[in-house]
């Protein structure tokens, strides 16, 4: 059975977050972060979230569909509206909201899913992260060789297995873009070992991947992260050979006691970035 590749259940989420009268089950699926959110009667953003978030109003945009209950929304500009069962919502950043009546408010969301609980997801904060970027080598040529239908199925299989491996190594997928992936980790050695596992998996599918691993500060913004460190990792990926894992010097320092071997690949100029970087090939 391959149901998990096509069907996921909120009974078995990737992550469960609870914060007082509100809870969220989180699933990463098809390149999206999708949440099942339940707000208990009496919940109000300005009462329960504002003291921790420390902004005058919720600065996260929410997109989703209501399953049960009703939510009242008041925008910073003064406009107000309510949403109820089977209604779609697109709530702009800059609002207060609260549950109406005695019934819990329940929704499925796919916008703002990782940041509506800002204290948990460190919204707007800069954090140190280990970044893994990887892509399939010669994907266009492979697609032309095997045909569009076969390629679509192969890519779906690759992405499904990639998600499983990244979760196994406690990483978080930031973005799936075609044949490439960006993921963040809180450990350098696990990111390198994850890259090696992705290479082994790709070989089983008759593919080759290249990868780059770098550590640096990033800013958490809604469902994604941003920062120069991401650009550095992407430029490093462009220098990697098929089957190779290129890492920055920072990774060699962070993972030096974890049994990962490194081979010096010399210094390189990264397009659009000042200064030369010393790069290494990793063997996990």
């Amino acid at each position: 059975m391959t149901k998990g590749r096509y069907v996921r259940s909120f009974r078995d989420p990737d992550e469960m977050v609870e914060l007082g009268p509100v809870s969220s089950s989180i699933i990463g699926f098809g390149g999206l972060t999708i949440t099942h959110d339940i707000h208990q009667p009496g919940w109000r953003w300005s009462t329960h979230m504002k003291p921790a978030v420390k902004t005058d109003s919720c600065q996260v945009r929410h997109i989703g569909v209501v399953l049960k209950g009703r939510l009242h929304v008041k925008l910073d500009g003064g406009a107000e509206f309510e949403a109820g069962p089977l209604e779609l919502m697109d709530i702009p950043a800059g609002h207060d909201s609260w549950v109406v009546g005695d019934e819990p408010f329940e929704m499925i969301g796919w916008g703002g899913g990782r940041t509506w609980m800002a204290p948990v997801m460190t919204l707007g904060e800069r954090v140190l992260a280990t970044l893994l970027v990887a892509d399939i080598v010669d994907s266009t040529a492979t697609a032309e060789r095997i045909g569009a239908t076969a390629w679509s199925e192969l890519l779906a299989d690759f992405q499904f297995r990639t998600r499983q491996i990244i979760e196994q190594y406690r990483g978080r997928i930031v973005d799936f873009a075609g044949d490439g992936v960006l993921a963040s980790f809180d450990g350098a050695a696990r990111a390198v070992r994850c890259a090696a596992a992705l290479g082994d998996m790709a070989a089983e599918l008759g593919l080759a991947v290249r990868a780059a691993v770098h550590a640096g500060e990033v800013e958490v913004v809604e469902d994604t992260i941003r920062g120069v460190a991401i650009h550095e990792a992407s430029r490093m990926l462009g220098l990697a050979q098929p089957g190779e894992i290129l890492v920055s010097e920072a990774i060699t320092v962070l993972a030096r006691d974890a049994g990962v071997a490194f081979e010096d690949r010399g210094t390189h100029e990264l397009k659009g970035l000042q200064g030369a970087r010393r790069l290494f090939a990793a063997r996990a």
Side-chain angles (χ1 to χ4, degrees):
M1 293 288 290
T2 58
K3 181 178 179 180
R5 169 177 163 182
Y6 303 103
V7 178
R8 293 293 305 277
S9 171
F10 281 109
R11 289 186 292 271
D12 184 26
D14 297 327
E15 187 176 354
M16 181 73 184
V17 179
E18 295 186 4
L19 190 64
V22 65
S23 63
S24 180
S25 301
I26 304 171
I27 290 179
F29 195 53
L32 298 174
T33 298
I34 305 171
T35 63
H36 177 209
D37 306 322
I38 301 176
H39 303 63
Q40 297 299 326
W43 179 88
R44 181 165 183 160
W45 186 91
S46 55
T47 299
H48 296 95
M49 303 300 295
K50 182 177 179 179
V53 178
K54 295 180 172 55
T55 59
D56 290 336
S57 60
C58 179
Q59 297 301 306
V60 177
R61 179 188 181 190
H62 302 269
I63 303 174
V65 60
V66 181
L67 300 180
K68 298 178 182 178
R70 299 193 67 81
L71 186 74
H72 191 99
V73 180
K74 182 176 181 179
L75 304 183
D76 287 353
E80 298 186 42
F81 61 89
E82 284 189 10
L86 299 184
E87 293 182 329
L88 294 169
M89 300 187 305
D90 185 352
I91 306 175
H95 64 270
D96 189 14
S97 60
W98 58 90
V99 175
V100 177
D102 297 327
E103 182 181 10
F105 173 76
E106 187 173 348
M107 67 172 285
I108 300 294
W110 54 88
R114 277 198 167 269
T115 54
W116 67 277
M117 289 194 202
V120 178
M121 308 312 293
T122 62
L123 173 63
E125 291 187 0
R126 294 189 65 81
V127 298
L128 180 64
T130 298
L131 304 172
L132 164 63
V133 289
D135 64 10
I136 299 173
V137 178
D138 293 330
S139 59
T140 301
T142 302
E144 292 178 348
R145 176 173 54 82
I146 68 176
T149 300
W151 170 249
S152 178
E153 293 177 353
L154 181 60
L155 183 60
D157 197 9
F158 173 81
Q159 291 183 334
F160 175 68
R161 297 191 189 194
T162 294
R163 188 180 298 283
Q164 287 185 316
I165 291 171
I166 290 174
E167 291 174 355
Q168 175 186 342
Y169 286 89
R170 290 166 42 199
R172 181 176 79 85
I173 293 177
V174 178
D175 186 38
F176 253 133
D179 63 354
V181 63
L182 166 64
S184 66
F185 297 77
D186 58 9
R190 278 190 286 104
V192 173
R193 292 194 174 100
C194 180
L198 290 178
D200 293 340
M201 176 272 292
E204 293 176 1
L205 297 177
L207 301 169
V209 297
R210 55 181 184 168
V213 181
H214 176 52
E217 279 201 347
V218 296
E219 183 181 5
V220 181
V221 181
E222 295 216 359
D223 292 338
T224 188
I225 56 176
R226 65 187 182 192
V228 174
I230 298 173
H231 299 292
E232 290 181 292
S234 297
R235 298 294 187 271
M236 289 167 53
L237 180 65
L239 299 175
Q241 299 298 312
E244 188 173 48
I245 305 169
L246 280 186
V247 306
S248 62
E249 194 164 10
I251 296 299
T252 67
V253 174
L254 293 170
R256 62 188 173 189
D257 297 325
V260 180
F262 302 100
E263 183 178 335
D264 196 333
R265 287 289 191 264
T267 57
H268 299 264
E269 298 283 344
L270 302 182
K271 184 178 179 180
L273 300 172
Q274 294 183 344
R277 272 76 165 174
R278 183 171 294 278
L279 303 181
F280 299 80
R283 298 286 184 270

